[in-house]
Short mmCIF file of all heavy atoms in Angstrom, two decimals:
data_model
loop_
_atom_site.label_atom_id
_atom_site.label_comp_id
_atom_site.label_asym_id
_atom_site.label_seq_id
_atom_site.Cartn_x
_atom_site.Cartn_y
_atom_site.Cartn_z
N VAL A 140 123.78 84.90 55.51
CA VAL A 140 122.66 85.16 54.62
C VAL A 140 121.44 85.55 55.46
O VAL A 140 121.17 84.95 56.50
CB VAL A 140 122.36 83.94 53.72
CG1 VAL A 140 122.05 82.70 54.54
CG2 VAL A 140 121.22 84.24 52.76
N ILE A 141 120.75 86.62 55.02
CA ILE A 141 119.58 87.12 55.74
C ILE A 141 118.47 87.46 54.75
O ILE A 141 118.70 87.54 53.54
CB ILE A 141 119.91 88.38 56.57
CG1 ILE A 141 120.32 89.54 55.65
CG2 ILE A 141 120.96 88.08 57.62
CD1 ILE A 141 120.46 90.88 56.37
N ASN A 142 117.28 87.67 55.29
CA ASN A 142 116.18 88.21 54.49
C ASN A 142 116.32 89.73 54.39
O ASN A 142 116.80 90.38 55.32
CB ASN A 142 114.83 87.88 55.13
CG ASN A 142 114.50 86.40 55.09
OD1 ASN A 142 114.98 85.66 54.23
ND2 ASN A 142 113.69 85.96 56.04
N ALA A 143 115.85 90.28 53.29
CA ALA A 143 115.97 91.72 53.07
C ALA A 143 115.05 92.53 53.97
O ALA A 143 115.36 93.67 54.32
CB ALA A 143 115.69 92.04 51.61
N ASP A 144 113.91 91.96 54.33
CA ASP A 144 112.87 92.75 54.99
C ASP A 144 112.74 92.44 56.48
O ASP A 144 111.70 92.70 57.08
CB ASP A 144 111.53 92.54 54.29
CG ASP A 144 111.22 91.07 54.05
OD1 ASP A 144 112.03 90.21 54.46
OD2 ASP A 144 110.18 90.77 53.44
N ASP A 145 113.80 91.89 57.08
CA ASP A 145 113.78 91.58 58.51
C ASP A 145 114.81 92.42 59.26
O ASP A 145 115.94 92.59 58.79
CB ASP A 145 114.09 90.10 58.75
CG ASP A 145 112.99 89.18 58.26
OD1 ASP A 145 111.89 89.68 57.98
OD2 ASP A 145 113.24 87.96 58.15
N TYR A 146 114.42 92.90 60.43
CA TYR A 146 115.37 93.59 61.32
C TYR A 146 115.86 92.57 62.35
O TYR A 146 115.07 92.01 63.11
CB TYR A 146 114.69 94.77 62.03
CG TYR A 146 115.58 95.38 63.10
CD1 TYR A 146 116.52 96.34 62.76
CD2 TYR A 146 115.49 94.96 64.42
CE1 TYR A 146 117.36 96.88 63.73
CE2 TYR A 146 116.33 95.50 65.40
CZ TYR A 146 117.26 96.45 65.04
OH TYR A 146 118.10 96.97 65.99
N TYR A 147 117.18 92.34 62.38
CA TYR A 147 117.74 91.29 63.21
C TYR A 147 118.40 91.79 64.49
O TYR A 147 118.54 91.03 65.45
CB TYR A 147 118.77 90.50 62.40
CG TYR A 147 118.17 89.69 61.28
CD1 TYR A 147 118.10 90.19 59.98
CD2 TYR A 147 117.65 88.42 61.51
CE1 TYR A 147 117.54 89.46 58.96
CE2 TYR A 147 117.09 87.68 60.49
CZ TYR A 147 117.03 88.19 59.21
OH TYR A 147 116.48 87.46 58.19
N GLY A 148 118.82 93.05 64.53
CA GLY A 148 119.47 93.59 65.72
C GLY A 148 120.98 93.45 65.67
O GLY A 148 121.53 92.52 65.07
N SER A 149 121.67 94.37 66.32
CA SER A 149 123.13 94.42 66.25
C SER A 149 123.80 93.20 66.89
O SER A 149 124.85 92.75 66.43
CB SER A 149 123.63 95.70 66.93
OG SER A 149 123.22 95.74 68.30
N HIS A 150 123.19 92.65 67.94
CA HIS A 150 123.79 91.50 68.63
C HIS A 150 123.95 90.31 67.70
O HIS A 150 124.95 89.58 67.75
CB HIS A 150 122.92 91.13 69.84
CG HIS A 150 123.48 90.05 70.70
ND1 HIS A 150 122.71 89.11 71.33
CD2 HIS A 150 124.77 89.76 71.04
CE1 HIS A 150 123.48 88.28 72.01
NE2 HIS A 150 124.73 88.65 71.86
N ALA A 151 122.98 90.12 66.82
CA ALA A 151 123.01 88.98 65.91
C ALA A 151 124.22 89.03 64.98
O ALA A 151 124.90 88.02 64.76
CB ALA A 151 121.72 88.94 65.09
N PHE A 152 124.51 90.20 64.44
CA PHE A 152 125.62 90.32 63.50
C PHE A 152 126.96 90.19 64.20
O PHE A 152 127.91 89.63 63.64
CB PHE A 152 125.53 91.65 62.75
CG PHE A 152 124.40 91.68 61.77
CD1 PHE A 152 123.18 92.27 62.12
CD2 PHE A 152 124.53 91.12 60.51
CE1 PHE A 152 122.13 92.28 61.23
CE2 PHE A 152 123.48 91.13 59.62
CZ PHE A 152 122.27 91.71 59.97
N LYS A 153 127.05 90.69 65.43
CA LYS A 153 128.30 90.54 66.18
C LYS A 153 128.57 89.06 66.49
O LYS A 153 129.69 88.57 66.32
CB LYS A 153 128.22 91.34 67.48
CG LYS A 153 129.51 91.32 68.31
CD LYS A 153 130.64 92.01 67.57
CE LYS A 153 131.86 92.24 68.45
NZ LYS A 153 132.51 90.99 68.88
N MET A 154 127.54 88.33 66.92
CA MET A 154 127.70 86.91 67.19
C MET A 154 128.08 86.15 65.93
O MET A 154 128.96 85.27 65.95
CB MET A 154 126.40 86.33 67.77
CG MET A 154 126.07 86.76 69.18
SD MET A 154 124.73 85.75 69.91
CE MET A 154 123.38 86.11 68.78
N ALA A 155 127.42 86.48 64.82
CA ALA A 155 127.69 85.79 63.56
C ALA A 155 129.11 86.04 63.09
O ALA A 155 129.82 85.10 62.67
CB ALA A 155 126.68 86.24 62.51
N TYR A 156 129.54 87.30 63.16
CA TYR A 156 130.90 87.62 62.71
C TYR A 156 131.94 86.90 63.55
O TYR A 156 132.90 86.31 63.02
CB TYR A 156 131.13 89.13 62.78
CG TYR A 156 132.49 89.55 62.26
CD1 TYR A 156 132.68 89.79 60.91
CD2 TYR A 156 133.57 89.68 63.12
CE1 TYR A 156 133.93 90.16 60.42
CE2 TYR A 156 134.82 90.03 62.65
CZ TYR A 156 134.99 90.28 61.29
OH TYR A 156 136.23 90.63 60.83
N ASP A 157 131.76 86.91 64.86
CA ASP A 157 132.72 86.25 65.74
C ASP A 157 132.78 84.75 65.47
O ASP A 157 133.87 84.16 65.45
CB ASP A 157 132.35 86.50 67.21
CG ASP A 157 132.60 87.93 67.64
OD1 ASP A 157 133.31 88.66 66.91
OD2 ASP A 157 132.08 88.33 68.70
N PHE A 158 131.63 84.14 65.24
CA PHE A 158 131.62 82.70 64.97
C PHE A 158 132.38 82.38 63.69
O PHE A 158 133.20 81.46 63.64
CB PHE A 158 130.19 82.18 64.86
CG PHE A 158 130.10 80.69 64.58
CD1 PHE A 158 130.02 79.79 65.62
CD2 PHE A 158 130.12 80.21 63.27
CE1 PHE A 158 129.96 78.42 65.37
CE2 PHE A 158 130.07 78.84 63.01
CZ PHE A 158 129.99 77.95 64.06
N LEU A 159 132.12 83.14 62.64
CA LEU A 159 132.73 82.85 61.34
C LEU A 159 134.24 83.09 61.34
O LEU A 159 134.98 82.44 60.59
CB LEU A 159 132.07 83.68 60.24
CG LEU A 159 130.61 83.32 59.93
CD1 LEU A 159 130.06 84.23 58.85
CD2 LEU A 159 130.47 81.87 59.51
N THR A 160 134.69 84.03 62.16
CA THR A 160 136.13 84.30 62.21
C THR A 160 136.87 83.34 63.14
O THR A 160 138.08 83.16 63.00
CB THR A 160 136.41 85.74 62.65
OG1 THR A 160 135.75 86.01 63.89
CG2 THR A 160 135.94 86.73 61.61
N GLU A 161 136.14 82.71 64.04
CA GLU A 161 136.78 81.84 65.03
C GLU A 161 136.61 80.36 64.73
O GLU A 161 137.24 79.51 65.37
CB GLU A 161 136.22 82.14 66.43
CG GLU A 161 136.55 83.55 66.92
CD GLU A 161 135.77 83.93 68.16
OE1 GLU A 161 135.01 83.07 68.68
OE2 GLU A 161 135.90 85.09 68.61
N ASN A 162 135.77 80.00 63.76
CA ASN A 162 135.49 78.60 63.46
C ASN A 162 135.72 78.31 61.98
O ASN A 162 135.36 79.11 61.12
CB ASN A 162 134.04 78.25 63.82
CG ASN A 162 133.78 78.33 65.31
OD1 ASN A 162 133.96 77.36 66.04
ND2 ASN A 162 133.35 79.50 65.78
N GLU A 163 136.30 77.16 61.70
CA GLU A 163 136.53 76.72 60.34
C GLU A 163 136.06 75.28 60.17
O GLU A 163 135.98 74.52 61.15
CB GLU A 163 138.01 76.82 59.98
CG GLU A 163 138.57 78.24 59.98
CD GLU A 163 140.05 78.28 59.61
OE1 GLU A 163 140.66 77.18 59.49
OE2 GLU A 163 140.58 79.39 59.44
N ASP A 164 135.75 74.89 58.94
CA ASP A 164 135.40 73.51 58.66
C ASP A 164 136.57 72.60 59.02
O ASP A 164 137.74 72.97 58.88
CB ASP A 164 135.07 73.32 57.17
CG ASP A 164 133.83 74.08 56.75
OD1 ASP A 164 133.05 74.48 57.64
OD2 ASP A 164 133.63 74.26 55.53
N THR A 165 136.24 71.40 59.49
CA THR A 165 137.27 70.39 59.70
C THR A 165 137.32 69.48 58.48
O THR A 165 136.57 69.67 57.51
CB THR A 165 136.98 69.57 60.96
OG1 THR A 165 135.74 68.86 60.79
CG2 THR A 165 136.87 70.48 62.17
N ALA A 166 138.17 68.48 58.51
CA ALA A 166 138.34 67.60 57.35
C ALA A 166 137.04 66.87 56.99
O ALA A 166 136.79 66.58 55.82
CB ALA A 166 139.45 66.59 57.63
N ASP A 167 136.21 66.58 57.99
CA ASP A 167 135.00 65.80 57.71
C ASP A 167 133.70 66.47 58.16
O ASP A 167 132.63 65.89 58.05
CB ASP A 167 135.10 64.42 58.36
CG ASP A 167 135.37 64.50 59.86
OD1 ASP A 167 135.48 65.62 60.39
OD2 ASP A 167 135.46 63.44 60.50
N THR A 168 133.77 67.70 58.66
CA THR A 168 132.57 68.36 59.18
C THR A 168 132.55 69.84 58.82
O THR A 168 133.51 70.56 59.08
CB THR A 168 132.48 68.22 60.72
OG1 THR A 168 132.59 66.85 61.09
CG2 THR A 168 131.15 68.78 61.23
N TYR A 169 131.44 70.28 58.22
CA TYR A 169 131.22 71.70 58.00
C TYR A 169 130.74 72.32 59.31
O TYR A 169 129.91 71.72 60.00
CB TYR A 169 130.16 71.94 56.93
CG TYR A 169 130.43 71.26 55.61
CD1 TYR A 169 129.39 70.63 54.92
CD2 TYR A 169 131.69 71.25 55.03
CE1 TYR A 169 129.60 70.02 53.70
CE2 TYR A 169 131.92 70.63 53.81
CZ TYR A 169 130.87 70.02 53.15
OH TYR A 169 131.09 69.41 51.94
N ARG A 170 131.21 73.51 59.62
CA ARG A 170 130.80 74.18 60.85
C ARG A 170 130.02 75.44 60.49
O ARG A 170 130.59 76.46 60.13
CB ARG A 170 132.02 74.49 61.71
CG ARG A 170 132.81 73.24 62.08
CD ARG A 170 133.90 73.53 63.07
NE ARG A 170 133.36 73.87 64.39
CZ ARG A 170 134.12 74.22 65.42
NH1 ARG A 170 135.43 74.30 65.29
NH2 ARG A 170 133.57 74.52 66.58
N TYR A 171 128.69 75.32 60.61
CA TYR A 171 127.79 76.41 60.26
C TYR A 171 127.17 77.00 61.53
O TYR A 171 127.37 76.50 62.63
CB TYR A 171 126.68 75.90 59.34
CG TYR A 171 127.15 75.28 58.04
CD1 TYR A 171 126.36 74.33 57.39
CD2 TYR A 171 128.36 75.65 57.45
CE1 TYR A 171 126.77 73.76 56.19
CE2 TYR A 171 128.77 75.08 56.25
CZ TYR A 171 127.97 74.13 55.63
OH TYR A 171 128.38 73.57 54.44
N MET A 172 126.39 78.05 61.35
CA MET A 172 125.70 78.68 62.47
C MET A 172 124.37 79.24 62.02
O MET A 172 124.12 79.45 60.84
CB MET A 172 126.54 79.80 63.09
CG MET A 172 127.02 80.84 62.11
SD MET A 172 126.56 82.58 62.42
CE MET A 172 124.81 82.62 62.42
N MET A 173 123.53 79.48 63.01
CA MET A 173 122.23 80.10 62.78
C MET A 173 121.92 80.97 63.99
O MET A 173 122.22 80.58 65.12
CB MET A 173 121.15 79.03 62.62
CG MET A 173 119.77 79.56 62.27
SD MET A 173 118.47 78.38 62.71
CE MET A 173 118.37 78.66 64.48
N VAL A 174 121.36 82.13 63.77
CA VAL A 174 120.91 82.97 64.89
C VAL A 174 119.45 82.64 65.17
O VAL A 174 118.60 82.67 64.26
CB VAL A 174 121.07 84.47 64.58
CG1 VAL A 174 120.48 85.31 65.72
CG2 VAL A 174 122.55 84.81 64.39
N GLY A 175 119.17 82.28 66.42
CA GLY A 175 117.81 81.96 66.82
C GLY A 175 117.23 83.07 67.69
O GLY A 175 117.96 83.78 68.40
N TYR A 176 115.91 83.20 67.65
CA TYR A 176 115.22 84.24 68.40
C TYR A 176 114.15 83.61 69.30
O TYR A 176 113.58 82.57 68.98
CB TYR A 176 114.55 85.25 67.45
CG TYR A 176 115.54 86.14 66.75
CD1 TYR A 176 116.26 85.68 65.65
CD2 TYR A 176 115.80 87.42 67.20
CE1 TYR A 176 117.19 86.48 65.01
CE2 TYR A 176 116.73 88.23 66.58
CZ TYR A 176 117.41 87.76 65.48
OH TYR A 176 118.34 88.55 64.86
N LYS A 177 113.90 84.30 70.40
CA LYS A 177 112.81 83.89 71.28
C LYS A 177 111.50 84.07 70.52
O LYS A 177 111.22 85.15 69.99
CB LYS A 177 112.84 84.74 72.55
CG LYS A 177 111.87 84.32 73.63
CD LYS A 177 112.05 85.20 74.86
CE LYS A 177 111.04 84.83 75.94
NZ LYS A 177 111.19 85.71 77.14
N LEU A 178 110.69 83.03 70.45
CA LEU A 178 109.47 83.05 69.65
C LEU A 178 108.61 84.28 69.92
O LEU A 178 108.13 84.94 68.99
CB LEU A 178 108.66 81.77 69.93
CG LEU A 178 107.26 81.70 69.31
CD1 LEU A 178 107.32 81.79 67.79
CD2 LEU A 178 106.56 80.40 69.74
N GLU A 179 108.45 84.60 71.20
CA GLU A 179 107.58 85.73 71.56
C GLU A 179 108.09 87.06 71.01
O GLU A 179 107.31 88.02 70.88
CB GLU A 179 107.44 85.82 73.09
CG GLU A 179 106.65 84.68 73.71
CD GLU A 179 107.45 83.40 73.87
OE1 GLU A 179 108.68 83.40 73.61
OE2 GLU A 179 106.84 82.38 74.26
N ASN A 180 109.37 87.13 70.69
CA ASN A 180 109.96 88.37 70.15
C ASN A 180 109.80 88.49 68.64
O ASN A 180 110.33 89.42 68.04
CB ASN A 180 111.45 88.45 70.49
CG ASN A 180 111.69 88.77 71.96
OD1 ASN A 180 110.79 89.24 72.66
ND2 ASN A 180 112.89 88.51 72.43
N THR A 181 109.08 87.56 68.03
CA THR A 181 108.96 87.57 66.56
C THR A 181 107.51 87.58 66.08
O THR A 181 107.27 87.43 64.89
CB THR A 181 109.65 86.33 65.96
OG1 THR A 181 108.87 85.14 66.25
CG2 THR A 181 111.05 86.15 66.51
N LEU A 182 106.55 87.76 66.99
CA LEU A 182 105.14 87.66 66.61
C LEU A 182 104.58 89.02 66.18
O LEU A 182 105.15 90.07 66.47
CB LEU A 182 104.33 87.09 67.77
CG LEU A 182 104.75 85.70 68.25
CD1 LEU A 182 103.89 85.28 69.45
CD2 LEU A 182 104.64 84.68 67.12
#
């Protein structure tokens, strides 16, 4: 899930896709992800 008006860059989507295809929830833990950015790159 993303915001409509933000540019995230190609690297973010590749990392996200790889994580979601390689990781699954376990019996007692959901396995989620978030893409983080260097603060100075978002001002």
